Amino acid sequence: MAENTSWYIKRCCITGVIDIPVPVLTFAAMHKFSELARYNPERLDRHLELSQKWVISEFLKAATIQFIDQIAAEITHQNIQVTKE
């Protein structure tokens, strides 16, 4: 079995999550960060100064490619991930 390289927790592994597809939640989070960066950068700076800033940083680094992978997986019904070299 291949090692899971995604930074996020898969829905199948936890209970009590919002019943909205992961790509929709990812897109909503990306939209919120974009909105903060454009219209309220001071608030975004405050978030990035917190001790949990690593979560935001990891999300922003991985979200775009993982979002594309999630959409491709939904369309093709295949597990699509970038391989490590």
Side-chain angles (χ1 to χ4, degrees), residues 17-84:
V17 297
I18 299 171
D19 191 24
I20 298 174
V22 173
V24 174
L25 294 173
T26 302
F27 184 76
M30 290 189 306
H31 176 73
K32 184 61 179 179
F33 282 119
S34 172
E35 187 178 80
L36 282 172
R38 184 171 186 174
Y39 299 113
N40 200 343
E42 298 85 16
R43 186 171 176 200
L44 180 59
D45 282 342
R46 287 195 304 272
H47 284 297
L48 295 174
E49 291 171 357
L50 299 174
S51 62
Q52 297 87 3
K53 68 182 173 193
W54 67 269
V55 175
I56 295 172
S57 176
E58 289 294 315
F59 173 80
L60 294 175
K61 281 193 268 183
T64 303
I65 191 67
Q66 288 182 5
F67 180 74
I68 293 168
D69 288 347
Q70 291 168 354
I71 297 299
E74 289 290 325
I75 293 169
T76 64
H77 302 289
Q78 300 291 316
N79 184 16
I80 301 170
Q81 290 186 341
V82 176
T83 58
K84 289 185 176 184

